[in-house]
Amino acid sequence: MKQVIVRIAMVVAMIATTGIEANAQFGGLLNAAKNAAKKKAVEVVENEVKNQLDPMKNLPKADQKAGDVTLYYTSGNRLGIWHPKTRTLDRFVKTPDEKWTTETYIFNSDGSITFGSGNHAGELKADGSMSSTKTQGIKYNPSTNEVTHNGEWVGKVGDDGSVYMFNEKMIYADTAFDKDVECFVLFNTIASDDLLNEYKEKYKNIVKQNQEQRERQLKDLKAAQSTNTEGCKLWKGGSVVGELRANDEVWIGGSRRGSFENGRIRVGGSFEGELLSDGSVRKGGSIVGKVDGNGKVWLGGSIVGEVRQNGDVVKGGSIIGKAQPVGDRRKIAVIYFFGFWAL
């Protein structure tokens, strides 16, 4: 590494000296050539530094003329090389002393897979079933590109050379090749039975949580958007003070005071605001607050109240009114909290 640093210093010093002399003799006419030479020299040095620091520099490289395919982890680090002519895989692995070496898998015509040493490594059957010393019960379906483990879905193989464990891309190749072999690489040389079972449990929990969240959102959305043919009575202090009718007209004290019309808020004979699709409330040209999907009312960045699913109107922790039967909670909140109509 010291030699590399010394070489960098020598290159920079040489470029600097050359630049001074050129400017002195030719008045800057060689600036373009100097800059190009400097850029090229820096690139050469940088590439050499990268090569010195690459822990995998001594591992084999793919022979493109032979049709070799390089496999990578999603991090960009090389995983290994597939040799289609000999149907062998050179997988790069670390030894116990943290050094990189090559582990060879030979895919035989009878479906058996052996290590370079000749020892059994696994099998890959014609129907897509496969196993190894690490993983059992893997099956690749060429019709759907899906992968199962003991009958349960665990991933897929993409048409672009990528292989996914569940929905997470784990490895890829610079050129797509035999999908069943790619499947074997990920699920039988990298993954294990224990790892897949752990992932399956996590995936099931995520699916369950997402489903529960979706059901809550649909329930809240249905409650927020529900309307009824009768409209709803608006209560305050134990008495009915108004109503939000089914046609979105707002009545207070027996008189029609306004309405909601395609998101706009009419007060008397003019439009004074808007109830936007995201629940934001515009008044006098400015956003003054918001009613979220859960009926919470926001003013000035703080929650000041809510309209509950049972129709209770809560402000400052106390029930100040009620809407029955419950209609659109956002519109009810606008009536009670935003001062378009005096209740």
Side-chain angles (χ1 to χ4, degrees):
M1 192 61 193
K2 288 183 178 179
Q3 293 178 347
V4 174
I5 295 172
V6 170
R7 292 180 65 181
I8 293 173
M10 290 175 65
V11 170
V12 173
M14 181 176 66
I15 292 170
T17 303
T18 302
I20 292 170
E21 293 175 353
N23 280 324
Q25 296 177 31
F26 303 105
L29 293 178
L30 298 182
N31 274 345
K34 179 195 69 175
N35 290 335
K38 178 179 179 181
K39 182 178 179 181
K40 181 65 176 178
V42 170
E43 287 178 354
V44 170
V45 174
E46 286 179 346
N47 289 335
E48 184 166 344
V49 171
K50 288 179 181 178
N51 185 56
Q52 291 291 334
L53 296 176
D54 183 6
M56 304 175 75
K57 64 180 180 179
N58 294 322
L59 292 173
K61 301 291 193 301
D63 183 352
Q64 294 182 348
K65 293 182 179 179
D68 290 351
V69 179
T70 304
L71 287 87
Y72 301 86
Y73 295 99
T74 50
S75 63
N77 291 331
R78 289 195 302 154
L79 184 163
I81 301 172
W82 169 249
H83 305 282
K85 289 187 176 180
T86 58
R87 289 189 61 79
T88 58
L89 170 73
D90 287 335
R91 188 190 161 207
F92 305 144
V93 296
K94 273 187 178 182
T95 61
D97 59 353
E98 294 295 309
K99 293 182 178 180
W100 285 98
T101 187
T102 300
E103 185 176 69
T104 300
Y105 292 81
I106 303 171
F107 289 73
N108 302 298
S109 58
D110 62 357
S112 66
I113 302 171
T114 54
F115 290 112
S117 63
N119 292 332
H120 177 75
E123 61 179 349
L124 175 55
K125 297 181 179 179
D127 66 353
S129 300
M130 58 190 75
S131 62
S132 69
T133 55
K134 296 182 67 174
T135 319
Q136 304 290 317
I138 295 294
K139 187 169 184 178
Y140 166 68
N141 185 336
S143 299
T144 63
N145 290 335
E146 304 292 314
V147 183
T148 57
H149 176 236
N150 296 328
E152 295 183 279
W153 179 78
V154 291
K156 62 182 180 179
V157 181
D159 294 329
D160 61 351
S162 302
V163 188
Y164 298 78
M165 185 179 293
F166 294 99
N167 291 319
E168 184 176 355
K169 181 177 176 179
M170 304 296 283
I171 66 172
Y172 65 94
D174 56 11
T175 302
F177 64 104
D178 306 58
K179 292 182 179 179
D180 52 353
V181 174
E182 277 197 282
C183 179
F184 184 89
V185 173
L186 175 59
F187 291 97
N188 289 91
T189 73
I190 299 174
S192 65
D193 286 320
D194 290 342
L195 178 65
L196 288 172
N197 288 331
E198 180 182 344
Y199 262 72
K200 280 191 281 189
E201 192 63 30
K202 290 181 179 178
Y203 181 75
K204 288 177 182 177
N205 290 334
I206 291 173
V207 170
K208 182 180 179 181
Q209 290 171 6
N210 289 341
Q211 182 63 30
E212 290 174 348
Q213 182 180 11
R214 179 60 178 163
E215 289 175 356
R216 287 195 300 269
Q217 290 174 340
L218 290 174
K219 184 177 179 180
D220 290 341
L221 182 62
K222 184 177 180 181
Q225 294 180 339
S226 65
T227 58
N228 55 74
T229 57
E230 301 175 2
C232 60
K233 302 293 183 182
L234 307 175
W235 296 70
K236 192 172 183 180
S239 303
V240 176
V241 295
E243 61 182 308
L244 173 61
R245 294 188 173 179
N247 62 0
D248 283 337
E249 290 182 353
V250 179
W251 288 66
I252 307 294
S255 301
R256 183 183 183 280
R257 300 294 181 84
S259 60
F260 293 91
E261 300 178 22
N262 297 320
R264 295 191 297 173
I265 300 170
R266 181 187 291 276
V267 179
S270 61
F271 291 107
E272 302 290 341
E274 288 182 274
L275 175 58
L276 304 180
S277 59
D278 66 350
S280 297
V281 179
R282 189 190 303 276
K283 186 177 184 181
S286 302
I287 300 295
V288 294
K290 184 175 182 178
V291 186
D292 66 24
N294 295 317
K296 296 285 193 303
V297 180
W298 295 73
L299 291 174
S302 302
I303 296 176
V304 297
E306 66 176 313
V307 178
R308 294 174 176 169
Q309 291 186 15
N310 65 357
D312 285 347
V313 180
V314 180
K315 184 176 183 180
S318 301
I319 297 176
I320 62 168
K322 193 175 186 69
Q324 286 295 321
V326 183
D328 189 324
R329 289 192 288 164
R330 296 186 307 170
K331 294 174 182 176
I332 294 168
V334 169
I335 296 171
Y336 276 92
F337 288 91
F338 290 88
F340 288 99
W341 306 281
L343 281 180

